[in-house]
Amino acid sequence: MNQNKPIILLIYTGGTIGMIKNPVTASLEAFNFDHLLKNIPELKILDCEIQTISFNEPIDSSNMHPKYWVQMVEIIEQYYQNYDGFVILHGSDTMSYSASALSFMLENLQKPVIFTGSQLPIGDLRTDAKENLITSIQMASLRNGKDPMIKEVGLYFEYKLYRGNRTTKINADHFEAFESLNYPMLAESGVHLKVNKEYLFQPENKDLVVHKNFNTNVAIIKLFPGISEYSLSCFLNNPSIKGIILETYGAGNATTESWFVDLLVKAINSGVHMINVTQCSGGSVAMGQYATSETLRKIGLISGFDITTEAAITKLMFLLGKNFDSKEFKTNFETSLRGEMS
Ligand code: ASP
């Protein structure tokens, strides 16, 4: 670690922040990362040293896949000792999924990994990219004595730093594109950077452990009034599905119709891990609070408490990659591993 200025590694994966309009098709396409840096000469006056690395082929984050999460953590793993912090430039569309996935993959993380991106390309006159990028780098450079101040995966957007695995993209147009409804922001950028130290994750002081296995034989099912036995059984009777995030109503409630309960029991008995997550943007599952969720508790659904769907699906793929038996799986899912649940 540099004793004077922090050294930050900027990892460019793609997204609007580094895109440019194709003059022929008028659609946004990724462009060379060097252009991105040329567009922000301000980076040179920051009180840290910045080095960069880019995906060979930057992607729109709608093409995100666990193989790219592995690519990101392998960069962090390779350069972990050489840098004080990491800033990942990423499309906003799936940023909350990636931030959640990386939080699970990087156990005992002792350095900041900050995701950021933008709603408008860096070259646009009214771009939000500059502020997001510059302040993310400043957040990643913050220190507590000799130690990095932030020791977790964060997501910085429009003046706010959130815990990454607590975020959801809530707006496709506004600069304020993310929310963290169940956990307070970690820091805010105003005239000064205000860090809410009491909310920062405190990892155990152990060596970094990197996890790279995901099992993608999973599904997210959102309940709606009128959901049919036929459509639900397509998922629940499918032997390749190993885990399901069931997005239920309110505090974890679902229909008590017998065909529905029978389908769930059959799937759970055949070894499918089924997680109860609320489809509300904020608040928590509390199975048993209503009669309409008591059945779900009795038949063995796992509670996602106040986890986001993004964190739930990545946690599901991550834990399935560990081949736990069903009891271990349930205990691990219902335990907050990286501050993703209250
Ligand atoms: N489609 C873009 C992406 O997620 C949007 C963005 O960068 O914000 O890659």
Side-chain angles (χ1 to χ4, degrees):
M1 183 186 286
N2 186 324
Q3 292 306 309
N4 305 312
K5 283 186 175 187
I7 316 180
I8 306 299
L9 183 62
L10 207 57
I11 304 170
Y12 178 55
T13 69
T16 301
I17 196 163
M19 286 183 176
I20 195 164
K21 217 171 235 168
N22 179 317
V24 181
T25 63
S27 62
L28 290 171
E29 290 172 1
F31 73 108
N32 190 307
F33 186 53
D34 301 337
H35 296 218
L36 178 78
L37 294 178
K38 268 190 218 134
N39 273 288
I40 319 183
E42 293 92 331
L43 291 179
K44 294 195 191 84
I45 53 174
L46 282 175
D47 203 18
C48 60
E49 204 178 301
I50 302 165
Q51 292 177 4
T52 60
I53 189 164
S54 172
F55 272 16
N56 288 340
E57 287 184 21
I59 55 161
D60 183 298
S61 80
S62 306
N63 285 319
M64 192 43 64
H65 182 277
K67 71 177 181 198
Y68 296 120
W69 296 335
V70 172
Q71 218 171 305
M72 289 178 224
V73 297
E74 284 184 341
I75 293 173
I76 293 171
E77 188 179 26
Q78 184 180 353
Y79 297 108
Y80 191 66
Q81 299 307 336
N82 310 110
Y83 292 89
D84 299 291
F86 302 85
V87 172
I88 302 185
L89 296 177
H90 190 291
S92 62
D93 287 348
T94 60
M95 195 186 288
S96 294
Y97 292 90
S98 296
S100 300
L102 263 71
S103 75
F104 299 120
M105 298 167 89
L106 298 167
E107 187 177 351
N108 308 325
L109 181 66
Q110 309 290 334
K111 298 187 179 190
V113 173
I114 312 285
F115 277 81
T116 197
S118 66
Q119 292 282 58
L120 284 177
I122 197 91
D124 197 289
L125 256 189
R126 295 173 48 254
T127 189
D128 52 332
K130 285 191 184 184
E131 199 284 320
N132 285 348
L133 176 56
I134 289 170
T135 313
S136 295
I137 294 171
Q138 289 186 316
M139 294 279 182
S141 307
L142 291 173
R143 282 177 174 177
N144 215 349
K146 275 199 260 162
D147 264 7
M149 186 175 289
I150 297 159
K151 301 176 177 183
E152 60 179 295
V153 178
L155 187 155
Y156 182 82
F157 228 87
E158 195 60 7
Y159 303 109
K160 293 187 179 101
L161 177 71
Y162 303 106
R163 173 165 301 156
N165 59 30
R166 291 292 196 146
T167 61
T168 301
K169 184 173 181 184
I170 44 109
N171 202 298
D173 297 329
H174 293 174
F175 286 148
E176 199 158 352
F178 289 87
E179 244 321 341
S180 164
L181 282 163
N182 285 335
Y183 198 75
M185 67 179 118
L186 303 180
E188 190 169 18
S189 162
V191 173
H192 303 285
L193 296 187
K194 182 177 176 295
V195 181
N196 298 323
K197 290 190 182 159
E198 66 276 31
Y199 298 126
L200 295 177
F201 189 70
Q202 302 300 339
E204 284 189 63
N205 196 3
K206 289 186 181 165
D207 286 348
L208 179 74
V209 180
V210 179
H211 303 265
K212 298 181 190 173
N213 268 349
F214 285 93
N215 182 335
T216 55
N217 293 320
V218 293
I220 299 175
I221 299 175
K222 181 171 187 158
L223 296 187
F224 57 93
I227 191 167
S228 74
E229 181 171 0
Y230 174 72
S231 62
L232 199 61
S233 63
C234 292
F235 280 107
L236 297 190
N237 290 336
N238 180 339
S240 67
I241 298 281
K242 302 292 175 225
I244 289 176
I245 301 298
L246 193 67
E247 275 200 2
T248 56
Y249 310 124
N253 308 313
T255 174
T256 48
E257 284 178 84
S258 57
W259 67 262
F260 175 78
V261 176
D262 292 348
L263 267 179
L264 261 50
V265 169
K266 201 169 142 214
I268 291 170
N269 288 346
S270 70
V272 175
H273 304 287
M274 202 161 318
I275 327 295
N276 189 351
V277 166
T278 176
Q279 50 186 254
C280 295
S281 327
S284 181
V285 161
M287 284 194 280
Q289 184 177 341
Y290 290 88
T292 44
S293 66
E294 176 58 9
T295 319
L296 302 182
R297 191 187 62 79
K298 277 200 193 128
I299 64 174
L301 260 83
I302 297 167
S303 179
F305 300 105
D306 64 346
I307 199 168
T308 61
T309 296
E310 291 87 338
I313 191 72
T314 48
K315 189 173 185 178
L316 176 60
M317 292 190 280
F318 166 73
L319 291 179
L320 280 173
K322 303 258 161 255
N323 295 318
F324 288 136
D325 65 33
S326 55
K327 205 166 154 229
E328 281 174 317
F329 186 94
K330 182 172 158 64
T331 308
N332 272 278
F333 203 101
E334 293 186 342
T335 304
S336 179
L337 302 176
R338 312 279 189 267
E340 72 281 7
M341 303 190 305
S342 300

